[in-house]
Amino acid sequence: MQSAKTPDNAAANASHEELPGEDDPSFVEALGRQALGLIRTGLEIASVLIRTIYYCFRGRPDVKAVINQMFEIGNRSLVFLTVVMGFIGMILVLQGGLQLKRVLPEFSMVGASYLELLIRDLAATIGGLMLATRVGAGIAAEIGSMVVTEQVDALRMCAADPIDYLIKPRFIASIVMTVVLIIWVTAIAILTGMITAYTTFDVLPRTFFNLQLVDKGDLIVGLAKCLAYGAAVPIVSGHSGLTTHGGSEGVGWATTRAVVNTSLAVIALDLVLSASGYLIFGP
């Protein structure tokens, strides 16, 4: 069959040993398997990313699919991210203020420091992790279900690449909606932090909303993280979905793997972009 010769099915067969409880290798053998598995998975994900970017410029235009995915990714994540970042804003300002109170009970710069940290790192990274769980799991489960019900094989038999039909719309929609959602939840975190500072430490809103420490580098680094996380989540979770095997149990395993891998990708990208931002723009 054609599907048996495709790279995605080959990857699915190759990753079959990842299912737990099938053998009991030695420690060194298990470590070697894990290292080879990580390298193989990294190369497969890089291949999915390259093919997705290619189809963004040379694939079939499907605006309706992109809009549908923007609704799935953006609108259905709005309440979840708003609630989480609202609480995160309150917690950060409360804990930061309490620690500052023990050393130097002066709160005029608490808002400026909080805004710089939020815009440069926390809003994008925490939002990216939330999207990794909410969106990544959904993409892996949806595509994994299509794989086990042979809908993906049907696409290939019609000479349609699943990357073009399934991954590309989610890739474009995720990048757009991640930027929009992060901007929105940043505003929410600023509002809840401002309320917390006023009610707990008597910091006036005009004193709290101090952009003195926020510069162009903070905005560029924060935006770069939004774009990187928006691209990473559908690619990594889509790869997990396409390599699904083993029926409903395999779909559950692929969903778990998607959440873990996308979260790791967000953390790794955060480290790389933060270090790059520090070298280019300074602290």
Side-chain angles (χ1 to χ4, degrees):
M1 290 179 63
Q2 182 180 357
S3 59
K5 298 178 181 179
T6 61
D8 298 327
N9 277 351
N13 295 330
S15 59
H16 181 70
E17 64 271 12
E18 294 179 13
L19 286 173
E22 292 193 346
D23 49 19
D24 187 20
S26 66
F27 174 76
V28 175
E29 185 180 3
L31 192 62
R33 283 188 181 185
Q34 290 295 327
L36 291 175
L38 285 175
I39 294 173
R40 183 174 60 239
T41 301
L43 293 176
E44 291 171 0
I45 291 174
S47 173
V48 173
L49 174 61
I50 293 171
R51 291 162 63 190
T52 302
I53 294 175
Y54 170 80
Y55 282 120
C56 286
F57 296 98
R58 302 297 298 271
R60 66 186 184 91
D62 194 349
V63 178
K64 184 178 179 180
V66 173
I67 293 175
N68 289 337
Q69 291 303 319
M70 289 174 67
F71 176 81
E72 292 291 333
I73 295 172
N75 193 46
R76 294 191 176 181
S77 303
L78 182 62
V79 175
F80 175 55
L81 262 68
T82 299
V83 172
V84 170
M85 289 304 296
F87 280 109
I88 291 292
M90 289 188 286
I91 293 169
L92 288 176
V93 172
L94 178 61
Q95 291 296 331
L98 291 175
Q99 295 301 319
L100 182 63
K101 190 176 182 179
R102 298 171 58 185
V103 181
L104 182 65
E106 206 280 318
F107 300 102
S108 61
M109 293 300 291
V110 66
S113 302
Y114 171 70
L115 292 180
E116 183 192 26
L117 187 61
L118 187 70
I119 292 173
R120 190 183 183 99
D121 185 60
L122 290 181
T125 301
I126 295 175
L129 288 172
M130 295 302 104
L131 287 174
T133 58
R134 162 65 181 84
V135 176
I139 291 175
E142 185 177 4
I143 296 179
S145 299
M146 296 178 69
V147 170
V148 299
T149 56
E150 300 182 349
Q151 296 180 57
V152 173
D153 288 339
L155 279 176
R156 293 191 181 104
M157 294 181 69
C158 297
D161 193 328
I163 300 294
D164 189 18
Y165 277 76
L166 300 178
I167 304 297
K168 185 191 71 180
R170 291 166 174 80
F171 178 76
I172 298 173
S174 176
I175 291 177
V176 174
M177 295 313 300
T178 297
V179 174
V180 173
L181 284 171
I182 296 301
I183 293 174
W184 165 254
V185 298
T186 300
I188 294 296
I190 292 174
L191 177 63
T192 57
M194 183 184 299
I195 294 173
T196 304
Y198 178 71
T199 56
T200 309
F201 306 111
D202 295 327
V203 178
L204 295 176
R206 64 173 178 272
T207 303
F208 181 87
F209 193 74
N210 182 357
L211 296 175
Q212 180 181 348
L213 298 180
V214 178
D215 56 23
K216 182 177 66 176
D218 298 323
L219 295 175
I220 293 175
V221 172
L223 180 61
K225 290 181 178 179
C226 293
L227 297 174
Y229 301 157
V233 169
I235 294 296
V236 177
S237 56
H239 167 264
S240 296
L242 288 174
T243 54
T244 300
H245 57 90
S248 58
E249 182 183 358
V251 174
W253 182 251
T255 303
T256 302
R257 186 173 54 189
V259 172
V260 173
N261 289 348
T262 50
S263 299
L264 288 174
V266 169
I267 296 299
L269 287 171
D270 183 26
L271 176 62
V272 172
L273 294 175
S274 295
S276 302
Y278 176 78
L279 294 175
I280 297 173
F281 302 107

